[in-house]
Amino acid sequence: SQWGEENLQALSIQEGEDVTMNCSYKTYTTVVQWYRQKSGKGPALIILIRSNEREKRSGRLRATLDTSSQSSSLSITGTLATDTAVYFCATDAGGLSGKLTFGEGTQVTVIS
Amino acid sequence: EAAVTQSPRSKVAVTGGKVTLSCHQTNNHDYMYWYRQDTGHGLRLIHYSYVADSTEKGDIPDGYKASRPSQENFSLILELASLSQTAVYFCASSDRGQISNERLFFGHGTKLSVL
């Protein structure tokens, strides 16, 4: 799982398998955003789940949010080699700043 | 699709030298951010801005200054570069002023090596 002082987590899976990664956060958030960062590129948003939602789906992606335990998960079903990337969760305390606090990330390597 | 352009893409600087990283966005977004990413770690916020001619400190502002001369441009300045500032720097913009538009659009990053 992501957060705190942990180093980048790493997962290696075979193409076609499903993968789930977890994120725990320390402070109140209005939304959890999940970003994917491919090698040499900037992060890009892949799914966003708000504090009043428990689950959100987008294609092969599924995000969950449990505000009571301050945790979120991202699942990818039927992984492809192109899903190889680092996945970050980010929390947003709301307000005017728009500051996102990012987790340490999970490196997912899909082997074809 | 929103566009955020950073320059240079990479830079080698000497310790004690001045470094300026530039960011330009064509999204008409009010908010812009500078994040730092160290190898194997997440992104940490250095400075941000939600209006031209004004900047705010993020979580790790020490050793960095920022400048927002216009809505489109946001610069990060290292007056006295140090070895510990070797990292990849990302600029981002968002349209946070609009409801449900919290996502950040990132540039490709600038790889800075301080020797």
Side-chain angles (χ1 to χ4, degrees):
Chain A
S1 63
Q2 301 185 32
W3 224 264
E5 300 300 318
E6 301 97 33
N7 289 328
L8 177 72
Q9 304 293 306
L11 300 171
S12 268
I13 56 175
Q14 293 292 323
E15 192 170 37
E17 292 181 343
D18 300 342
V19 65
T20 297
M21 59 206 86
N22 300 301
C23 165
S24 58
Y25 55 92
K26 298 178 180 178
T27 59
Y28 167 79
T29 188
T30 60
V31 62
V32 174
Q33 302 187 30
W34 284 91
Y35 286 80
R36 175 169 59 196
Q37 184 179 27
K38 296 199 173 185
S39 181
K41 301 290 179 64
L45 180 75
I46 54 174
I47 195 166
L48 176 156
I49 183 166
R50 300 189 183 282
S51 58
N52 62 350
E53 300 173 308
R54 293 190 62 82
E55 179 181 292
K56 187 81 166 285
R57 292 179 183 267
S58 176
R60 295 183 294 110
L61 305 176
R62 174 179 175 262
T64 66
L65 178 59
D66 184 342
T67 54
S68 63
S69 64
Q70 296 188 305
S71 64
S72 177
S73 70
L74 173 69
S75 298
I76 307 174
T77 58
T79 55
L80 305 170
T82 53
D83 292 326
T84 294
V86 178
Y87 293 81
F88 294 100
C89 64
T91 56
D92 183 343
L96 289 176
S97 74
K99 291 168 53 177
L100 291 188
T101 300
F102 284 80
E104 296 298 309
T106 299
Q107 168 70 59
V108 174
T109 302
V110 182
I111 303 166
S112 57
Chain B
E1 180 70 12
V4 178
T5 305
Q6 294 182 231
S7 62
R9 291 296 300 269
S10 66
K11 182 171 181 65
V12 178
V14 296
T15 304
K18 182 177 181 178
V19 177
T20 300
L21 308 183
S22 300
C23 180
H24 178 81
Q25 55 107 351
T26 58
N27 311 319
N28 199 33
H29 287 170
D30 288 329
Y31 286 77
M32 295 188 75
Y33 308 83
W34 277 106
Y35 281 88
R36 166 180 173 154
Q37 183 175 37
D38 294 281
T39 302
H41 291 277
L43 292 89
R44 293 181 290 170
L45 182 64
I46 306 170
H47 285 287
Y48 65 100
S49 168
Y50 50 85
V51 67
D53 294 322
S54 178
T55 63
E56 306 292 333
K57 293 181 179 179
D59 298 321
I60 54 164
D62 293 345
Y64 303 94
K65 292 183 179 179
S67 173
R68 181 92 181 271
S70 64
Q71 185 192 43
E72 298 80 16
N73 296 295
F74 192 34
S75 297
L76 185 67
I77 302 146
L78 290 66
E79 296 279 3
L80 295 170
S82 67
L83 294 173
S84 63
Q85 293 177 313
T86 293
V88 179
Y89 293 85
F90 287 98
C91 176
S93 74
S94 79
D95 194 14
R96 188 173 183 83
Q98 301 301 313
I99 294 173
S100 300
N101 275 347
E102 306 98 326
R103 68 176 288 188
L104 266 58
F105 294 87
F106 283 87
H108 278 72
T110 295
K111 184 175 182 180
L112 175 65
S113 298
V114 182
L115 306 177

